[in-house]
Amino acid sequence: MNIQHYLSAIEQADTYKRYGKVLQVVGLMIESQGPEANIGEVCYIHTSSNNKAPILSEVVGFNNEKIILMPYSEVNEIGPGCLVESTGKPLSVKIGRGLIGKVVNSLGKNLDESPLPKGLSNYQTEQSPPNPMLRPPIAEPIQVGVKAIDSLLTVGKGQRIGIFAGSGVGKSTLLGMIARNSSADINVIALIGERGREVREFIEKDLGEEGLKKSIVVVATSDQPALMRIKGAYTATAISEYFRDLGLQVNLMMDSVTRVAMAGREIGLATGEPPTTKGYTPSVFATLPKLLERTGTNEHGTITAFYTVLVDGDDMNEPIADTVRGILDGHFVMDRKLAERGQFPAINVLKSISRVMNQIASQDHKEIAQEMRSLMATYEENSELIQIGAYKRGTDHEIDKAILYYPKIQAFLEQEVFEYVTLDESIKMMKALIYGGTN
């Protein structure tokens, strides 16, 4: 046993605790005189109540040598002169296989307040994205279990997809379907800025008992401080990275990345950043790529990521939607008109794209998918003429074919919430539809 190693560690250990004190609290922001701390480090704020645990906070900026902190919880107990103690470390959470089947908060603690299982490892929530040269190319498809996606918008292992939709179009239900039906080894689901009522509904109805058995759910509801909401996204991504490094195929589902951006906007405005497009601060557009680039492939395993983007007023070109679409490897657009028509999942296939489908699908599969897209596009282009009865059958062979196939295609794209269809079955059904079962 090398005792010298321990002796040198003891000699280098800093045995002093450094404190500062709270000067003022303005909105979300706590200003303190000291202690020595760097941006991103966690501090404890000791309240005047003796029986209360210290409030966890993070250094988010400086102002004339005064530290600007933001709390992970409410600030009701903080008063002038409260002691601020630096931990000297950024936020880390406990991660391990024991978390599978659990529902945790942004700090990695059980939401039902039960103790965490033993044998978990400490893992920092903020990590650098993998080196681009060490990322293997996306080479094989992953089963999503949704016919419209597996057949026409095939997803690859390690691909990052945006699900763009307005409120109430079925994003959460679609995520629940993917979590239950996917061929991934484990799901990490981040519910960021959700209504508290929806959390249990999603876990019990959309995800179900079978889905929860291979999932870890990270929850930060809309009533929680901005820092907790943004950390929920970082914690979920860190959990995904941990399991990817074990060599597993991971699905990360984040609902929604828009609410992460809104939390970033709150923090940026509170620390004095100038607002830019739609009030979003420049740091929001800098942190989004850092967060989204952490997923994908690395030399050990893959994280296939699905990020929902809440588009205000169904405007697909609002700033966050535009930024996220430019970063990710494809987007699925959920259409309110399809949802109103009763079609579920309400994915507008013609407006959606999977940027890696050409690399991972067979030639045969690509040709059939292109044929189906072409029929749908032909019908859509001439839909007004067809619906008012102005088009006469026999005028154009392509339009006649599109009219014949359109009801069959619509029936194929619809899927019951608890209907399970494999990737191979989806492709076979599409072949049978286009070629009449001959191939």
Side-chain angles (χ1 to χ4, degrees), residues 37-189:
N38 299 325
I39 285 182
E41 282 183 13
V42 172
C43 292
Y44 291 116
I45 301 174
H46 296 272
T47 62
S48 49
S49 306
N50 295 329
N51 56 346
K52 287 267 182 152
I55 291 170
L56 213 56
S57 60
E58 187 176 304
V59 181
V60 292
F62 297 96
N63 180 20
N64 291 335
E65 298 188 14
K66 294 186 184 81
I67 288 176
I68 298 170
L69 300 152
M70 210 157 262
Y72 287 110
S73 57
E74 296 302 325
V75 295
N76 301 342
E77 302 288 326
I78 296 175
C82 282
L83 289 180
V84 181
E85 178 192 346
S86 173
T87 63
K89 293 180 289 189
L91 181 70
S92 63
V93 293
K94 290 191 176 294
I95 304 175
R97 289 181 184 271
L99 281 186
I100 299 172
K102 304 283 185 193
V103 182
V104 298
N105 67 10
S106 302
L107 306 177
K109 293 174 182 167
N110 275 332
L111 214 59
D112 60 7
E113 298 184 353
S114 62
L116 285 170
K118 289 184 169 58
L120 303 180
S121 314
N122 274 325
Y123 198 89
Q124 282 190 15
T125 58
E126 294 202 33
Q127 302 281 342
S128 300
N131 185 323
M133 293 305 290
L134 298 177
R135 282 188 189 267
I138 297 167
E140 52 183 308
I142 188 169
Q143 176 186 300
V144 172
V146 178
K147 286 186 289 183
I149 296 171
D150 281 339
S151 57
L152 294 164
L153 301 160
T154 313
V155 175
K157 287 179 183 175
Q159 189 175 351
R160 298 158 307 145
I161 292 286
I163 299 173
F164 292 73
S167 52
V169 186
K171 297 187 303 299
S172 299
T173 312
L174 178 62
L175 288 184
M177 279 182 78
I178 295 169
R180 289 193 311 274
N181 299 348
S182 167
S183 61
D185 300 318
I186 184 169
N187 301 307
V188 180
I189 302 164

Side-chain angles (χ1 to χ4, degrees), residues 120-318:
L120 303 180
S121 314
N122 274 325
Y123 198 89
Q124 282 190 15
T125 58
E126 294 202 33
Q127 302 281 342
S128 300
N131 185 323
M133 293 305 290
L134 298 177
R135 282 188 189 267
I138 297 167
E140 52 183 308
I142 188 169
Q143 176 186 300
V144 172
V146 178
K147 286 186 289 183
I149 296 171
D150 281 339
S151 57
L152 294 164
L153 301 160
T154 313
V155 175
K157 287 179 183 175
Q159 189 175 351
R160 298 158 307 145
I161 292 286
I163 299 173
F164 292 73
S167 52
V169 186
K171 297 187 303 299
S172 299
T173 312
L174 178 62
L175 288 184
M177 279 182 78
I178 295 169
R180 289 193 311 274
N181 299 348
S182 167
S183 61
D185 300 318
I186 184 169
N187 301 307
V188 180
I189 302 164
L191 303 177
I192 310 296
E194 288 293 310
R195 293 180 282 275
R197 173 187 64 80
E198 287 185 327
V199 173
R200 194 157 174 188
E201 274 186 20
F202 176 81
I203 291 163
E204 291 180 4
K205 291 184 182 176
D206 297 332
L207 190 58
E209 200 177 324
E210 283 303 306
L212 189 59
K213 277 181 188 171
K214 66 166 191 173
S215 302
I216 298 168
V217 184
V218 181
V219 175
T221 50
S222 56
D223 60 297
Q224 291 183 324
L227 201 59
M228 274 295 258
R229 279 177 273 141
I230 205 163
K231 285 297 167 189
Y234 282 101
T235 298
T237 308
I239 293 170
S240 305
E241 288 170 326
Y242 173 86
F243 286 104
R244 174 179 65 185
D245 290 346
L246 293 179
L248 299 180
Q249 315 291 333
V250 185
N251 271 354
L252 170 64
M253 285 167 258
M254 193 177 291
D255 186 15
S256 73
V257 77
T258 309
R259 299 225 169 90
V260 175
M262 286 175 173
R265 176 171 65 184
E266 280 181 51
I267 293 169
L269 291 172
T271 53
E273 273 192 88
T276 53
T277 325
K278 272 204 171 179
Y280 287 103
T281 54
S283 63
V284 171
F285 300 104
T287 55
L288 276 177
K290 287 179 188 172
L291 176 65
L292 304 183
E293 282 290 340
R294 284 169 61 181
T295 54
T297 59
N298 76 355
E299 62 267 41
H300 305 295
T302 64
I303 300 173
T304 308
F306 299 88
Y307 296 101
T308 70
V309 181
L310 188 64
V311 284
D312 296 330
D314 297 325
D315 174 17
M316 295 295 164
N317 297 315
E318 61 100 31

